[in-house]
Amino acid sequence: MTLSDRRRSLPTFSRRVTYPYGVSGSHRILRVAGALASASALALTVAAGSATLAVGHLQGNVTTVDISDQVGQRPLDFGDLSQGPVTLLVMGSDERTGTGNTRYGHFDGARSDTTMLVHVYPDRESAVVLSIPRDTVMQLPACRSSSGEHLGAVRDRFNAAFDRGGPGCTVKAVESLTGLQVDHFVVLDFHGFKKTINALGGVEVCLTRPLKDEKSGVDLPAGRTRVKGEDALAFVRVRHNIGDGSDISRINRQQLFLSSLIQEVSSSGLLTDPLRLWRVLNEASKSLAADRAMTDPAGVVALASSLVGIRPKDITFVTLPWLPSGDGATIVMDRARAEPIFAAIAEESPWPPPPTKGADGQPLTVLPARVLVDVRNATGTQGVASTVAGELAGQGFRTGRLDSGPDRATTVIRHSPDQLEAARTLQAAVPGSTLKEVDSLGPRLQLVLGRDAHEVRAIRVRTPSSSSSGSSGSGTSSAAQDICTG
């Protein structure tokens, strides 16, 4: 089944949810990823403990949101949460009204500039968190405003979905963009974020140089610092005087913040401390809006117990791959690189895919980009060398000279003694090839194509230098990453 087929075949469920969520037509989009960091962390870790304590009280704290008029009927509950996948959309809100939110200036509505799609795999041993940049231009689907007005499809920034129809419209946009069904969602505001971080005792952040920005109010020294409340909120909001000032840079920093939070929750004993866990959940839930299932005591308990085994290293962060749109302000999704991510989630396959092993069964240690290869055509058929060289270049290999030689039956990779690891990487990309050590090639490899096989297959090499996120969202990281690497 193709991804397009999966889009058309999203299942429909029966549901009714109480307490409609009011979204004014002037609602704009959120700039705060701190809310997302807190909410995602809670979804993956804080909630994953002994949540049996007074859950009924927590249910009363959360505002239940009805989005059935936007996305159709969905499940009323989580079902059997001892197994099976869960896909949760986490949205923030920089609402300037309500308790704790009025000190940040005034404007009508609320924004949700940063959105994270959290997918927990069926074995409940791993999860992937996909950040969707706010400035991604896409075809937004038709939505219904809070007043009931039908709004037709329009090409606009992704974050305009919240302005058009609140969380329901954002859910609909995510499903349209990815082809994946969103099972549940949560929305958290400034106040909830600060109270949650304070209840946790703060979160450690790490800076390579001092950071001071009057607009956000952040003023932090270089090195490791524990931030709470306003400082934590300012850190995840700031864009000026740090990195390249882009929203993508801020997303990377927010993922590091979330990694630090998850690491602390996992190592601090929070999940085995009922009183402290209760305090954290109680504070966070006061500023949450969610679907009915997320406010159901039995569902929360089941979800909590099913997520206990997820370790920080098993939570993967990835930013939606993107390309510049050409206007200097917005981006577009890089579909060629995004589709494999969507397909992996839909098929419950790990992302990123596991590293390719060499022909000897051992891990590869050299990236294709560090391999320089000359290609010799010994097949007796013209054009094979250029075809194979092009396919290798598509895998990231650096290709050099192309020539031809006497026909031979088998494909061989010639390499100098100190280029064995590079040769193993190339061999993994050219199945059926054999290695031959020679002394005269220096840093270059020579791929001699025989009549046996000319296939080039996709490989994945994971090294410490290849694990960080790229500038166009192609990389991944885990919640176990060193927070001082960003």
Side-chain angles (χ1 to χ4, degrees), residues 263-285:
Q263 291 171 32
E264 292 213 17
V265 168
S266 298
S267 63
S268 67
L270 172 66
L271 302 184
T272 57
D273 185 341
L275 291 179
R276 185 178 171 218
L277 178 61
W278 163 253
R279 185 168 64 251
V280 172
L281 292 175
N282 187 48
E283 293 296 342
S285 62

Side-chain angles (χ1 to χ4, degrees), residues 433-447:
S433 58
T434 59
L435 303 182
K436 183 177 181 179
E437 185 178 303
V438 297
D439 295 324
S440 59
L441 291 177
R444 310 175 77 94
L445 305 182
Q446 184 185 55
L447 173 62

Side-chain angles (χ1 to χ4, degrees), residues 18-98:
T18 59
Y19 304 118
Y21 181 80
V23 180
S24 78
S26 62
H27 271 218
R28 291 180 290 275
I29 320 301
L30 157 124
R31 293 190 193 282
V32 180
L36 299 184
S38 177
S40 292
L42 289 173
L44 291 173
T45 54
V46 175
S50 302
T52 55
L53 40 114
V55 178
H57 179 74
L58 298 180
Q59 182 183 27
N61 288 345
V62 182
T63 300
T64 308
V65 179
D66 180 11
I67 64 170
S68 60
D69 61 337
Q70 303 277 21
V71 300
Q73 301 301 309
R74 295 293 170 90
L76 276 173
D77 55 36
F78 291 109
D80 179 9
L81 277 183
S82 63
Q83 58 185 353
V86 173
T87 301
L88 169 71
L89 189 67
V90 183
M91 295 166 275
S93 169
D94 64 355
E95 180 76 47
R96 259 58 168 190
T97 61

Side-chain angles (χ1 to χ4, degrees), residues 376-433:
R376 172 166 293 179
N377 184 0
T379 67
T381 302
Q382 290 186 349
V384 175
S386 60
T387 298
V388 170
E391 292 176 352
L392 288 173
Q395 290 293 318
F397 289 91
R398 294 182 296 140
T399 55
R401 295 185 292 266
L402 306 182
D403 61 13
S404 59
D407 291 3
R408 58 176 293 133
T410 59
T411 297
V412 63
I413 297 171
R414 295 173 177 166
H415 65 92
S416 59
D418 63 351
Q419 293 298 310
L420 174 60
E421 289 303 309
R424 291 181 62 249
T425 295
L426 180 58
Q427 183 185 34
V430 185
S433 58

Side-chain angles (χ1 to χ4, degrees), residues 268-346:
S268 67
L270 172 66
L271 302 184
T272 57
D273 185 341
L275 291 179
R276 185 178 171 218
L277 178 61
W278 163 253
R279 185 168 64 251
V280 172
L281 292 175
N282 187 48
E283 293 296 342
S285 62
K286 291 176 182 177
S287 299
L288 278 177
D291 63 277
R292 178 173 173 178
M294 291 296 294
T295 67
D296 173 61
V300 171
V301 171
L303 178 62
S305 62
S306 72
L307 300 180
V308 169
I310 298 182
R311 300 165 295 182
K313 74 181 187 67
D314 299 320
I315 301 172
T316 299
F317 295 105
V318 60
T319 301
L320 182 75
W322 56 271
L323 295 168
S325 66
D327 63 7
T330 62
I331 58 178
V332 294
M333 179 175 69
D334 184 341
R335 185 162 295 280
R337 289 187 298 148
E339 289 283 359
I341 301 174
F342 304 153
I345 294 174

